Amino acid sequence: MDKQFKDYNLPDERGHFEKFGGKFVPETLIPALEELENYYKVAKQDELFQDELNGLLNNYSGRETPLYFATQLSEELGFNVWLKREDLNHTGAHKINNALGQILLARRMGKNKIIAETGAGQHGVATATVAALFGLECIVYMGEEDIRRQKLNVFRMNLLGAEVRPVSSGSMTLKDATNEAIRDWVTNVESTYYLIGSTVGPHPYPMLVRDFQSIIGKEAKVQFVKQSGKALPNRLVACIGGGSNAMGLFYPFIKDDIKIVGVEAAGKGLESGEHAATLSKGDFGVLHGAASTLLQNEDGQVTLPHSISAGLDYPGIGPEHSYLNESGRVQYFSATDTEALDSFQWLSEKEGILPALESAHALAYLRQDNNGIEPGEHIILCLSGRGDKDVHTVAEALGLNL
Amino acid sequence: MNRIQKLFSEPKEKLIPFLTAGYPELDSTVELVCNAAEVGADMIEIGIPFSDPQADGPIIQASSQQALDNGITLKTIFEQVTEIRKRTDVPIALMGYYNPILKMGHETFLDYCISSGVDGLILPDLPLEEAEPFCELAKSKGASPILLVAPNTPNERIRKISELAGDLIYAVSILGITGNDLASKDALQEYLNRVRENSVTPFVVGFGISTRDDVVWFNQHSDGAVVGSAIIKNMNGSSNPVERTKSLIQGLKGIIS
């Protein structure tokens, strides 16, 4: 492995992962980002903060989540599949890890209003949950198209006391919800905490979300040794929209000599023009406050992504993933809507686990012909969320009317 | 002395209308800009439409989307500025989000700016931390980067921003997006005094400015007033946007037609 990864220590002081990352935001937000960074630096070193967070992760969210050896999958595939069960978290996905961390920061900063963007609704639910827990006002921006696809999560957020604000501009999905959240934040910056749900946005968010999610990889590393008797897995696999569950699993292993694979959403196919495979098909650009990789046209206008999974339906990707891709540390593959649907059913039938459609993309990679996996390998796959929220989408795709 | 330096060396009231390029029709911009200049606009801000305009309120967002649907591109905007330059010497600043500029490339973009006759560049999502390479290149080619400050920008930072800008800075009137309501005059005055004391360049103010009274007041406390959403809103649905815009600008300038 290259020395640059043995000493991996990014982002730099300015929030850059080499040419990716940074702070591309209106001037109004600069003081807010600096304030957040300062509070985070203190909290990171503060035992009281870490104890409170760990207490909530353990006793409120139900960590640690199991590392489950998938016997049936492994038998069928000829290699060993370990599922990191983030689907068993409170609220049904890894999103709560980050939401708990950030809400504690928001409280320290004295902010009384929480805003968030959401795609699939999992981050919105996680944010609404932690806002309810601490009695803070919560507004979640969500594209109208996503509201249609994820009615159940909208109702869950309402039950948790959050206001879901429909966004009808642009593609009416996650990208536009993020624009609207940023506009709210610019306007109410002094009273409002913007609780970003993925490893995207201006510095320090990609770093901060990664750090809060890296509990996934830290636990998995210890669990794997204990359960398998081996020092390290051969390979990690996770799906990528913005990239938070993936960074959470990858980061604690980044200096280890193992293969790491991210799986993007290829929608109706990489050549169809209807996909969300940012790293495969996008190029360098700036969106939502960071330099990264973007789906865009030749004039630099952001183009509309497509994925059956609302959580992956995003034209950008976290800046650290862009760096890990360009530097070659992580390999990025993609899986289509159809492959994800097949794998959704596959895991349900084989292991009795309904995966989120997002996570089903990672599962689909295991079954691809050219994935490079050797027989007998040990693979940890992040099962980032549970599939209950997706049953209507899956039924629709299968031509059923529930 | 460039057109921006020359304008701001003159002690007079300044009105800077904002027009979205390619709105309401793809080819509207040349006539709108030339007529605005004719009835007394002192400088023109032309918005480069972007798919994700984070600093803009609903009015300018909608005009950007319409302009994109009309087929506006950066190259078309430069062709339009070239046409405008044949007819007027009014200073022109392009206001645009960073990604389309990055996609075209700093060098190519700035060369087009210079050859077509653009004087200044306002990039709302390129703050001091990231702005230096672009600003230095712009200045070396003879275009003025017009960096932004906001009510929560500390004094020392205002100074640094104005030093990097060189000719002119743009003070956002409010914590918020274009078209929002203005804050109280007391708070505004305190903020604008702070900008005056700390900026090494002249400064104009924009966001939420919509009336003749606003234009007068902001000219008393700064070096010029930008009017955006009010101009776009005024021409929405009009059968004659050029005439409507002319009469609005005359009203904002206090000229009775």
Side-chain angles (χ1 to χ4, degrees):
Chain A
M1 175 186 280
D2 293 350
K3 189 173 177 306
Q4 74 187 102
F5 303 119
K6 288 283 176 204
D7 302 328
Y8 192 86
N9 186 27
L10 293 174
D12 64 21
E13 272 294 299
R14 293 170 56 233
H16 284 244
F17 304 86
E18 295 202 339
K19 71 176 181 181
F20 304 106
K23 293 176 185 174
F24 295 86
V25 293
E27 174 65 20
T28 313
L29 295 180
I30 293 289
L33 292 172
E34 283 173 0
E35 184 191 17
L36 175 60
E37 198 178 345
N38 291 336
Y39 271 90
Y40 179 61
K41 272 184 194 158
V42 173
K44 204 175 170 180
Q45 309 297 331
D46 181 352
E47 262 180 51
L48 280 175
F49 181 92
Q50 296 301 334
D51 286 351
E52 188 175 12
L53 177 56
N54 288 330
L56 287 166
L57 287 170
N58 297 344
N59 304 320
Y60 185 71
S61 185
R63 300 203 73 92
E64 62 182 30
T65 60
L67 182 70
Y68 167 69
F69 181 71
T71 320
Q72 280 71 238
L73 262 53
S74 302
E75 201 169 294
E76 180 182 326
L77 294 166
F79 48 80
N80 302 290
V81 179
W82 300 82
L83 301 177
K84 181 57 175 164
R85 298 290 308 274
E86 292 303 299
D87 59 316
L88 294 177
N89 272 304
H90 180 41
T91 73
H94 69 293
K95 294 292 185 187
I96 192 87
N97 302 329
N98 166 55
L100 281 169
Q102 288 199 53
I103 200 89
L104 293 183
L105 280 178
R107 275 207 320 164
R108 285 199 161 197
M109 293 167 74
K111 308 286 181 184
N112 52 30
K113 188 179 113 187
I114 305 296
I115 57 170
E117 81 296 333
T118 198
Q122 289 305 109
H123 173 57
V125 167
T127 305
T129 298
V130 297
L133 178 65
F134 289 107
L136 298 172
E137 183 189 351
C138 179
I139 295 166
V140 179
Y141 289 92
M142 189 168 183
E144 280 184 353
E145 171 63 17
D146 289 336
I147 289 178
R148 188 189 67 76
R149 288 193 279 193
Q150 301 289 346
K151 281 187 195 130
L152 180 65
N153 272 343
V154 174
F155 186 55
R156 287 168 79 195
M157 287 185 267
N158 290 333
L159 288 172
L160 291 160
E163 179 193 344
V164 178
R165 286 201 186 151
V167 176
S168 60
S169 56
S171 58
M172 297 186 271
T173 62
L174 180 55
K175 147 182 114 72
D176 311 284
T178 307
N179 290 336
E180 211 50 43
I182 292 172
R183 291 185 190 112
D184 182 331
W185 194 30
V186 170
T187 307
N188 301 295
V189 64
E190 284 168 339
S191 61
T192 301
Y193 184 91
Y194 181 20
L195 208 159
I196 291 186
S198 193
T199 48
V200 299
H203 181 67
Y205 282 106
M207 170 182 81
L208 186 150
V209 176
R210 172 197 74 192
D211 291 354
F212 287 137
Q213 289 294 1
S214 62
I215 185 80
I216 300 172
K218 280 182 206 156
E219 284 180 4
K221 205 169 189 176
V222 175
Q223 290 169 317
F224 181 78
V225 174
K226 212 162 144 188
Q227 291 174 234
S228 73
K230 294 180 180 303
L232 284 168
N234 303 94
R235 190 182 299 257
L236 308 175
V237 183
C239 66
I240 314 233
S244 71
N245 90 86
M247 275 322 304
L249 176 64
F250 299 170
Y251 188 58
F253 290 93
I254 210 103
K255 298 177 184 179
D256 296 320
D257 198 5
I258 63 169
K259 292 193 171 69
I260 304 182
V261 171
V263 186
E264 297 190 298
K268 295 178 182 169
L270 286 182
E271 305 311 322
S272 68
E274 292 182 62
H275 56 76
T278 310
L279 290 175
S280 305
K281 291 289 173 182
D283 53 9
F284 187 61
V286 166
L287 179 68
H288 296 149
S292 189
T293 312
L294 263 187
L295 297 177
Q296 56 185 319
N297 68 17
E298 58 183 14
D299 298 315
Q301 305 294 343
V302 181
T303 53
L304 301 187
H306 164 82
S307 170
I308 192 169
S309 146
L312 304 183
D313 202 349
Y314 183 66
I317 187 165
E320 193 162 13
H321 284 295
S322 287
Y323 168 75
L324 293 171
N325 177 53
E326 195 170 86
S327 63
R329 177 65 191 96
V330 176
Q331 288 176 282
Y332 292 86
F333 287 73
S334 62
T336 63
D337 289 352
T338 309
E339 289 176 302
L341 271 169
D342 289 347
S343 295
F344 180 99
Q345 292 170 280
W346 180 57
L347 188 71
S348 305
E349 289 166 14
K350 287 275 179 179
E351 300 285 350
I353 300 169
L354 267 64
L357 273 174
E358 290 79 12
S359 323
H361 286 74
L363 290 162
Y365 159 80
L366 299 179
R367 306 167 81 196
Q368 290 176 340
D369 290 336
N370 300 319
N371 59 18
I373 302 173
E374 304 285 335
E377 270 192 31
H378 284 265
I379 296 177
I380 298 180
L381 182 145
C382 187
L383 198 71
S384 55
R386 72 175 78 127
D388 307 46
K389 70 183 172 61
D390 293 317
V391 292
H392 277 95
T393 307
V394 172
E396 202 176 293
L398 299 176
L400 304 169
N401 198 353
L402 297 187
Chain B
M1 203 182 264
N2 65 37
R3 291 188 195 95
I4 289 176
Q5 288 165 344
K6 184 168 175 297
L7 174 65
F8 287 89
S9 69
E10 297 164 11
K12 62 169 188 180
E13 181 186 291
K14 294 171 198 78
L15 172 70
I16 304 155
F18 169 94
L19 295 159
T20 302
Y23 181 83
E25 307 288 337
L26 182 63
D27 57 2
S28 302
T29 310
V30 174
E31 284 307 314
L32 280 167
V33 171
C34 292
N35 278 278
E38 213 164 90
V39 296
D42 298 279
M43 174 168 158
I44 310 277
E45 187 183 332
I46 299 177
I48 304 169
F50 182 48
S51 52
D52 295 83
Q54 287 158 23
D56 284 306
I59 293 168
I60 293 179
Q61 274 179 53
S63 71
S64 294
Q65 191 54 55
Q66 181 62 51
L68 289 173
D69 293 345
N70 292 344
I72 196 73
T73 63
L74 266 175
K75 289 211 169 138
T76 309
I77 295 171
F78 288 122
E79 285 165 18
Q80 292 176 343
V81 175
T82 304
E83 284 307 303
I84 292 164
R85 268 289 163 258
K86 292 177 185 164
R87 290 168 53 182
T88 172
D89 222 23
V90 70
I92 294 173
L94 294 184
M95 179 284 202
Y97 294 86
Y98 188 45
N99 194 59
I101 294 164
L102 188 64
K103 178 75 179 174
M104 178 175 263
H106 289 177
E107 191 93 32
T108 309
F109 173 79
L110 288 164
D111 287 343
Y112 273 116
C113 286
I114 298 304
S115 64
S116 64
V118 170
D119 305 291
L121 298 158
I122 304 167
L123 275 53
D125 58 350
L126 195 66
L128 186 60
E129 283 72 8
E130 308 287 350
E132 202 173 323
F134 178 81
C135 291
E136 295 301 349
L137 189 63
K139 288 192 283 189
S140 76
K141 288 180 182 286
S144 306
I146 303 169
L147 297 174
L148 293 94
V149 298
N152 56 353
T153 307
N155 293 344
E156 175 63 15
R157 190 174 162 91
I158 293 174
R159 192 182 59 74
K160 282 188 189 155
I161 287 170
S162 66
E163 283 170 356
L164 181 60
D167 290 334
L168 182 68
I169 62 170
Y170 185 129
V172 174
S173 64
I174 45 166
L175 300 177
I177 53 178
T178 56
N180 278 11
D181 292 335
L182 287 169
S184 79
K185 288 281 158 72
D186 284 352
L188 270 170
Q189 195 170 333
E190 195 190 320
Y191 160 51
L192 298 179
N193 288 345
R194 219 159 53 74
V195 179
R196 171 71 74 210
E197 281 164 26
N198 292 285
S199 174
V200 301
T201 69
F203 69 106
V204 295
V205 188
F207 286 34
I209 299 175
S210 62
T211 65
R212 170 68 192 151
D213 285 351
D214 291 341
V215 171
V216 171
W217 191 87
F218 279 99
N219 270 281
Q220 284 163 1
H221 300 281
S222 73
D223 303 305
V226 181
V227 180
S229 298
I231 287 182
I232 302 299
K233 194 176 174 185
N234 176 65
M235 71 173 103
N236 283 350
S238 164
S239 58
N240 195 341
V242 172
E243 283 309 314
R244 280 197 69 113
T245 303
K246 272 168 74 175
S247 69
L248 179 66
I249 289 172
Q250 285 170 326
L252 290 165
K253 285 288 284 184
I255 300 163
I256 294 140
S257 56

